[in-house]
């Protein structure tokens, strides 16, 4: 069920002047973005030259109409949702490995790290573990990057408790999913949910729109953004390119929009999203930063080449055991992050072979690591 979606979904643009809005946010799209437009709207858009793009790049970093207490979220560029390292014997937090991964991510030049999301197995963290994980990351970062604390909870009170734990640890904002058990809240219930979390924790909220059966559509999200004061950004996941286009068209003047779709980083960047918070950005922050920078610069040939290089790697990692697969890929890259918590199992030899071959084919392994 999609929260707030009309009985019959319209395939028409949500506002007039959509093509001009698209260019103002992303620059002239490549053929890949034109294809995305055809898929969404049933017609092509003209693609201006690179020179025209360069004249418009200053429009990409625009201010948003919504703020709260004078604060707006900066979701630009690559924001890795780092994995959470667990000890192989006890499955408890391994703070030494967590701190080492923080150091690596900072070394790649990112300005923000997100923790406790899907890639970080946040759904299984207790309130105490939420505090300890966030505290370890915030302390290790020591002000060099901002830290977004992830909250995945089934009830508002649980989300508030985890959010308060993250705030005490020193995070600058929260990434919060809708409740994810079987019962689907109404739009009014979701507005209340995010409003109560914000009022209690007093931190900006990035909505992580990923839960399949609480699938917040653009109209419901618009109501939440308008009526929940602390909601200052949207991360659109779930693999739905149509929804990214809708969010950009209706909401991007109000709040920043970031993508959570690993295999569609290039086309979502071309649509003009502010940045990405995805598993691939956590495993390959340098390469995904290069992809984002290429789109920002209007170099779509380079961006498409990086997309084609990374896509088979993602195909080897994605799936039900994604977090464990990602940790295996990280181990091949020399970044030990322990295990995933049960019942997520380590990849079998067949999967490990696929991941190794994908990394080698993408030239992502040093010779010593092959």
């Amino acid at each position: 069920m999609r929260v707030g979606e009309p009985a019959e979904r319209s395939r028409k643009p949500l506002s007039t002047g959509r093509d001009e809005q698209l260019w103002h946010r992303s620059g002239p799209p490549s053929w890949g973005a034109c294809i995305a437009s055809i898929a969404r709207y049933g017609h092509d858009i003209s693609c201006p030259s690179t020179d025209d793009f360069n004249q418009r790049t200053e429009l990409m970093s625009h201010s948003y109409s919504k703020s709260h207490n004078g604060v707006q979220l900066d979701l630009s560029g690559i924001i890795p949702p780092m994995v959470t390292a667990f000890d192989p014997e006890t499955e408890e937090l391994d703070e030494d490995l967590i701190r080492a991964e923080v150091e690596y991510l900072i070394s790649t030049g990112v300005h923000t790290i997100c923790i406790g999301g899907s890639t970080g197995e946040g759904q299984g963290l207790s309130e105490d573990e939420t505090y300890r994980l966030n505290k370890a990351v915030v302390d290790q970062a020591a002000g060099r990057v901002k830290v977004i604390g992830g909250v995945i909870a089934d009830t508002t009170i649980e989300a508030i408790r985890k959010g308060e734990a993250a705030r005490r640890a020193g995070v600058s904002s929260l990434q919060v999913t809708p409740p994810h058990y079987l019962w689907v809240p109404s739009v009014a219930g979701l507005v209340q949910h995010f409003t109560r979390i914000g009022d209690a924790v007093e931190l900006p909220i990035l909505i992580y729109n990923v839960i399949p059966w609480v699938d917040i559509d653009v109209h419901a999200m618009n109501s939440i953004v308008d009526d929940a004061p602390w909601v200052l950004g949207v991360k659109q996941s779930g693999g739905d390119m149509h929804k990214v286009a809708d969010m950009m068209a209706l909401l991007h003047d109000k709040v920043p929009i970031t993508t959570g779709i690993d295999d569609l980083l290039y086309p979502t960047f071309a649509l003009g999203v502010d940045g990405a918070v995805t598993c691939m950005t956590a495993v390959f922050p340098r390469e995904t930063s290069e992809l984002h920078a290429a789109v920002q610069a209007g170099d779509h040939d380079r961006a498409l080449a990086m997309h084609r290089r990374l896509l088979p790697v993602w195909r080897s990692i994605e799936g039900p055991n994604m977090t464990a697969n990602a940790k295996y890929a990280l181990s091949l890259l020399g970044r030990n992050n322990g295990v995933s918590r049960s019942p997520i199992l380590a990849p079998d030899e067949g999967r490990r072979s696929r991941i190794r071959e994908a990394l080698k084919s993408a030239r992502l392994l040093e010779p010593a690591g092959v």
Side-chain angles (χ1 to χ4, degrees):
M1 176 179 178
R2 294 181 176 179
V3 176
E5 185 173 54
E8 184 176 352
R9 182 181 175 88
S10 171
R11 288 295 182 186
K12 296 180 180 179
L14 293 174
S15 61
T16 59
R18 183 202 59 81
D19 295 348
E20 187 67 10
Q21 292 170 0
L22 177 62
W23 295 337
H24 279 203
R25 287 165 186 157
S26 66
S30 69
W31 66 265
C34 293
I35 290 172
S37 178
I38 293 169
R40 176 63 183 92
Y41 295 102
H43 62 82
D44 198 354
I45 57 177
S46 59
C47 298
S49 66
T50 299
D51 288 340
D52 194 12
F53 170 85
N54 291 333
Q55 295 172 8
R56 294 174 180 262
T57 52
E58 71 276 3
L59 295 171
M60 297 170 63
S61 298
H62 64 279
S63 60
Y64 301 97
S65 63
K66 184 177 180 182
S67 63
H68 190 61
N69 291 347
V71 174
Q72 294 183 323
L73 279 177
D74 177 8
L75 300 177
S76 60
I78 297 304
I79 300 176
M82 66 176 279
V83 299
T84 300
F86 296 112
D87 182 271
E89 298 298 324
T90 65
E91 296 188 2
E92 298 293 339
L93 294 173
D94 189 323
E95 294 191 18
D96 289 338
L97 293 182
I98 289 167
R99 289 174 181 272
E101 184 65 11
V102 171
E103 280 302 314
Y104 173 81
L105 293 175
I106 292 174
S107 77
T108 68
V110 300
H111 65 78
T112 304
I113 296 173
C114 183
I115 53 180
S118 300
T119 303
E121 302 178 66
Q123 76 284 350
L125 296 176
S126 68
E127 181 183 339
D128 176 64
E129 288 171 329
T130 298
Y131 172 79
R132 288 167 50 211
L133 172 61
N134 283 273
K135 183 66 172 171
V137 174
V138 169
D139 286 354
Q140 190 65 33
R144 292 174 291 169
V145 296
K146 296 188 292 294
V147 179
I148 301 174
V151 173
I152 303 176
D154 272 330
T155 64
T156 305
I157 190 66
E158 180 189 5
I160 289 172
R161 288 168 179 164
K162 289 185 173 181
E164 288 177 335
R167 182 200 63 207
R168 292 196 305 273
V171 303
S172 61
S173 57
L174 300 178
Q175 174 186 267
V176 185
T177 67
H180 61 283
Y181 193 55
L182 295 178
W183 317 120
V184 180
S186 65
V187 175
L190 288 170
V191 169
Q192 183 195 77
H193 178 71
F194 291 110
T195 298
R196 287 183 59 195
I197 295 167
D199 288 345
V201 181
E202 297 187 331
L203 286 177
I205 293 172
L206 167 64
I207 292 184
Y208 180 14
N209 195 22
V210 68
I211 307 303
W213 44 87
V214 188
D215 188 15
I216 306 174
D217 81 348
V218 66
H219 307 291
M221 190 68 77
N222 190 51
S223 296
I224 295 168
V225 168
D226 283 348
D227 297 335
W230 288 95
V231 172
L232 296 177
V234 175
K235 171 183 169 182
Q236 181 55 50
S237 296
D240 190 339
M241 188 72 174
H242 303 313
K243 190 161 289 181
V244 175
D246 287 349
M247 297 288 180
M248 290 296 296
L250 189 59
L251 298 177
H252 199 219
D253 285 337
K254 299 178 183 181
V255 296
I257 309 293
T258 188
T259 182
I261 309 175
D262 288 276
D263 54 355
L264 296 176
L265 291 178
Y266 170 44
T268 52
F269 290 162
L271 279 177
V273 299
D274 295 88
V277 188
T278 76
C279 177
M280 287 293 280
T281 69
V283 181
F284 305 105
R286 287 193 170 96
E287 289 76 15
T288 50
S289 292
E290 182 180 337
L291 171 55
H292 182 258
V295 176
Q296 293 284 92
D299 189 347
H300 290 280
D301 288 339
R302 182 162 63 97
L304 181 58
M306 181 60 76
H307 164 80
R308 288 173 170 166
R309 181 183 174 194
L310 293 177
L311 182 59
V313 177
W314 172 242
R315 292 288 178 247
S316 75
I317 292 173
E318 69 175 342
N321 289 347
M322 182 270 287
T323 58
N325 297 339
K327 287 179 176 179
Y328 178 69
L330 288 171
S331 73
L332 294 176
L333 298 169
R335 293 153 60 193
N336 179 16
N337 278 275
V339 299
S340 289
R341 278 182 163 169
S342 179
I344 302 301
L345 299 179
D348 60 22
E349 180 51 41
R351 174 69 74 163
R352 292 197 296 270
S353 178
R354 282 185 59 194
I355 295 171
R356 284 195 304 270
E357 291 305 312
L359 289 176
K360 285 195 287 186
S361 296
R363 306 180 307 283
L364 293 168
L365 286 183
E366 298 295 333
V370 175

